[in-house]
Structures are given as structure tokens and as C-alpha cells.
Amino acid sequence: MFTGRLTRIARESVGGLPRAFWWLWTSTLVNRLGAFVATFMTLYLTLERGYSGSFAGLVVALHGLGGVMSSLVAGVMTDRLGRRPTLVAAQASTAFSVALLGFMEHPAAIAAVALLVGMTSNASRPAVQAMMADIVRPEDRVRAFALNYWAINLGFAVSATVAGFIAEYSYLAGFLGEAALTLVCAVLVFVKLPESRPEKSAAEKAAAEPEIGMGTVLRDGRFMGVVGLSFLISLIFMQGSFGLPLAMGEAGFSTGDYGLVIAVNGVLIVLLQIPVTRFIEHRDPQMLLVLSALLAGYGFALTAFGGAVWSLGLAVCVWTLAEIVNSPTQMGLVARLSPLHGRGRYQGMYTLSWAVASLVAPLMAGFTIDRFGASWLWAGTAGLGTVAALGYWLLMRNLPEVGESAVPVVEAPVPAQVPAAQPAAVVQAPTPERTPAATPAEL
């Protein structure tokens, strides 16, 4: 009986999603299993190559700047060229640039290639998110985004451990290993994922509907409000990577202590992402986003009272729960507000919000801690969480229910010109009765 209940829960958690989603999910998992550069860049430059902390910081900042530069361009490519070609090109370019970085010797060359790696690795995100919105039914998107986020964290948890041992043997092997796995992702997408970009129907073409450009995105007040709130939330969550280690170092904690504390974040996401998503999937997104913003801001604020590893770990538990709730809910909201033929541009703008936050967050942490002390940083996260919660409450009033038109363009039927050999689930997510769902085990 207990086994039957577990089987039912598992089917409800992963069932009903199209086969194309699971290939995209597999690609995400493989990609994160190869994560090396972003995790070990600072250690590689300082310990292996002997560069200063300032130079390492510059290179990491250039890597983040590359992500900022590519976000909007990749969004436009996703709409114009298609999801699949953008994704394949981005991943193949990432594989090449990561391998190249491992062979760079001159500081200027390292900095330039790090910028290139940031650009190429970030370019795939708008395409992945737009494709997911294309192939998954609106009512299943929160669950789909949660499963994808779970794959990201599971892959990262494994890769961070394995890559640490690889780095002790050879950093170059780590670079080449990431390049190889990223290339596998590109091949997987090319072979298994047909294009999912919706084509305009004959009626839409006859109506001479204006093209959706970046101006359309910028004039969408509600969506740009969500982008701004995403920036605030990202500033908070990124303090786990920037503010927390700085504050713990100043308080006399060791790097091992920080490793134990931050490991709580990854372990909880792997263990709780799927069951928590089952609980929140059909609940009011306005309430979820308001609650998650408050938990994030005040969860980090609890760090000010953490005088021991265990108390800091409890603070991590609070803001990790906020992360588990916020990520899939917010990505589902972005997909819901994105018009059918402009999803790439909308996802590119959303990606830009956290790419910019990745540049601002370390500067914010360093400046605040150096000038005013860590307590002011944690008070600041509480303030940001409060502002974000209020913003979500205001922006999501009178938001149409899932299935209603929240944007000017509604989803059109599958166009007649789509080749019969192409799975319909990749163009528009059908009902489960018409398309058998696939689970990871079936792949």
C-alpha cells in the first residue's frame, strides 16, 4: 500500500508532461553536471595560476558582463531564428569557448575568453525557457519549471563535488570535461528536439499583425515590473554566494564552515523541490510570490544573529524555502505574461534581470560590509524583501487566471504547415489523452 502511494505521488509529480520536455530536462541535467568554470574560476586563477584576488574578481565580473550582453540578443535570436537553432548554436559555442579558456596563458587572453564564455553560456537560457513555455500546457508550467530547476541543482550538487576532485588532479581536465558535456547537450538538442517556435496562422498573417520587438517588451508595464522585482529578488539570493562568505570570513569562520552552511541550500533543494511544488502548484501565485519575497529577505536577515554554524544553517533553511517557492512560480508568471510570438524577447529581458544582479550583488556586498558592517547588509536584504513583496502584491492584482488571455496575443492552433513527422507536442502542448506522457525512465 505504501509502495502504491509512493508510485502515485511520483506519477502525479512527473506525469502528464510531453516527451519533448523530458529531453529538454535531460539536456539541462547533463549541462549542469558539467558545470566547472563558474564554480572554480576564482580558485583556478588564484591558486593554480597565481593571479591576485583583484584580477580574479575582474575576470569573474567580465564573465557576468558577458551574460548581460547576450541576454537580449539571445532573446531576439530565439524569436527570429527559432528555439532549437539558438540553443544548438549557444551550446556548441560554449563548448568551444570553455575548452579555449583552459589553454589561455596571457591575462588579457584569459579575460577576453572569460567574457566570451559568459556570453555563450548565458545565450541558451531564453531559448530553453521559451521552448519550455511552448511545449508545456499552462496549468503544468509551474511543475515543469520546478522539475527543471531541480535538475539544475541536482546537476550542480554532483558536479561541484566531482569537479573538486578533478581540480586537484588537473584544472584543464575540468575545462575539457565541461566542454565535452556541453557539446553532448548540443547534439542531444539537435537530434531529439524539433523546433517548437509557434508559426503564425493564416488569419494572423492576413491581419498583418505588427511584429513584437524589444519596444513592445519595454512598454509592457506589468511585465517590466516583474523584471524589476526579479532583479531585487536576485540581489537577495545572490548574497548566499557573495555576502555570506564575506561576512563569515570577517566573523572568523573557516572556508570549511562556509562549505557546510551553503551545502544546506543544495541539499534542501534536491530533497524538497518536488514535494513543495506539489503542495504549491495550484495555489495563488500572488500569495506565493509575496510570501517567498518575505522569506528570502528576512531569511537572510537572520544571518545577523548567526553566531554558530548551526544557526547560520537554520537561516539558510529559511531562504532556501523561499528559493524553492519563488523560482518556479516566478518563471511560470513570466511565461504567462509573454505573448506567443514574443516569448524569446520576453525571456531574454527576464534573463537580463538576474544577469545584471550578478554584477551588482558582489559590489553591493563588498561595499556595504566594508563601509558599514555585515549587519547593515542583512538589514538591507530585509528591506529589499519587503519592497519586493509589496511589488508582487500590487502587480498581480486583477491578473487573469491561467487559461485566460493575460497578454495581447493568444495561443493559436497548430498551423497546418507543420510537417506531419514533427511531434505536435513540441509545437503546442496537447491534452494528455492525445499525446502519451513520457517519464525519465522511458527515455
Side-chain angles (χ1 to χ4, degrees), residues 64-108:
L65 179 61
V68 173
M69 294 169 61
S70 67
S71 296
L72 299 183
V73 175
V76 173
M77 289 175 59
T78 298
D79 282 338
R80 289 190 175 180
L81 302 180
R83 286 62 158 137
R84 181 170 174 257
T86 301
L87 193 50
V88 171
Q91 291 179 336
S93 300
T94 300
F96 170 77
S97 59
V98 166
L100 182 64
L101 182 61
F103 292 99
M104 292 297 98
E105 299 285 344
H106 194 277

Side-chain angles (χ1 to χ4, degrees), residues 81-418:
L81 302 180
R83 286 62 158 137
R84 181 170 174 257
T86 301
L87 193 50
V88 171
Q91 291 179 336
S93 300
T94 300
F96 170 77
S97 59
V98 166
L100 182 64
L101 182 61
F103 292 99
M104 292 297 98
E105 299 285 344
H106 194 277
I110 291 174
V113 178
L115 176 68
L116 179 62
V117 172
M119 294 175 63
T120 57
S121 60
N122 190 65
S124 63
R125 297 181 187 274
V128 169
Q129 292 165 357
M131 180 175 279
M132 202 170 299
D134 293 338
I135 64 181
V136 176
R137 297 179 304 177
E139 58 268 31
D140 291 331
R141 283 176 186 157
V142 169
R143 181 159 55 98
F145 281 121
L147 287 167
N148 194 64
Y149 192 66
W150 183 77
I152 290 172
N153 283 278
L154 176 62
F156 177 77
V158 174
S159 69
T161 303
V162 175
F165 291 106
I166 293 176
E168 292 181 359
Y169 167 74
S170 168
Y171 277 91
L172 178 59
F175 284 107
L176 296 179
E178 177 171 348
L181 286 175
T182 307
L183 192 59
V184 169
C185 291
V187 173
L188 185 65
V189 170
F190 182 78
V191 173
K192 291 295 185 179
L193 284 173
E195 177 56 53
S196 70
R197 180 181 58 173
E199 298 291 342
K200 288 188 176 181
S201 65
E204 289 172 320
K205 292 179 179 178
E209 181 183 290
E211 291 292 330
I212 296 174
M214 291 309 303
T216 309
V217 182
L218 294 172
R219 289 190 297 269
D220 190 336
R222 193 196 296 265
F223 179 78
M224 290 305 298
V226 172
V227 170
L229 294 174
S230 170
F231 171 72
L232 295 182
I233 289 293
S234 297
L235 279 181
I236 297 173
F237 284 131
M238 287 181 182
Q239 296 312 321
S241 300
F242 302 116
L244 184 58
L246 282 176
M248 289 184 66
E250 285 203 346
F253 291 96
S254 68
T255 55
D257 292 334
Y258 171 71
L260 287 174
V261 170
I262 201 62
V264 174
N265 173 253
V267 170
L268 285 182
I269 289 176
V270 171
L271 293 179
L272 299 181
Q273 184 70 71
I274 293 177
V276 169
T277 300
R278 275 177 49 82
F279 178 74
I280 69 172
E281 185 176 2
H282 299 296
R283 297 182 184 274
D284 181 11
Q286 181 188 47
M287 178 269 292
L288 294 174
L289 289 171
V290 168
L291 177 62
S292 65
L294 293 174
L295 284 175
Y298 289 90
F300 272 97
L302 290 175
T303 307
F305 306 100
V309 170
W310 67 267
S311 56
L312 291 171
L314 287 178
V316 172
C317 290
V318 176
W319 59 259
T320 297
L321 180 59
E323 185 179 357
I324 289 171
V325 173
N326 181 272
S327 180
T329 307
Q330 183 163 256
M331 287 189 288
L333 175 62
V334 170
R336 191 170 160 190
L337 295 176
S338 305
L340 184 64
H341 301 296
R343 281 178 177 154
R345 289 173 173 84
Y346 273 67
Q347 293 289 355
M349 181 62 73
Y350 171 66
T351 301
L352 179 67
S353 66
W354 62 257
V356 174
S358 70
L359 286 179
V360 176
L363 300 176
M364 168 184 163
F367 177 81
T368 305
I369 291 176
D370 287 344
R371 292 293 184 91
F372 306 105
S375 296
W376 281 94
L377 177 64
W378 308 130
T381 62
L384 289 175
T386 303
V387 171
L390 179 61
Y392 282 125
W393 180 76
L394 292 173
L395 278 175
M396 297 188 65
R397 291 182 303 172
N398 304 318
L399 185 68
E401 297 293 329
V402 175
E404 298 180 29
S405 178
V407 291
V409 183
V410 296
E411 300 209 15
V414 178
Q417 61 267 36
V418 176

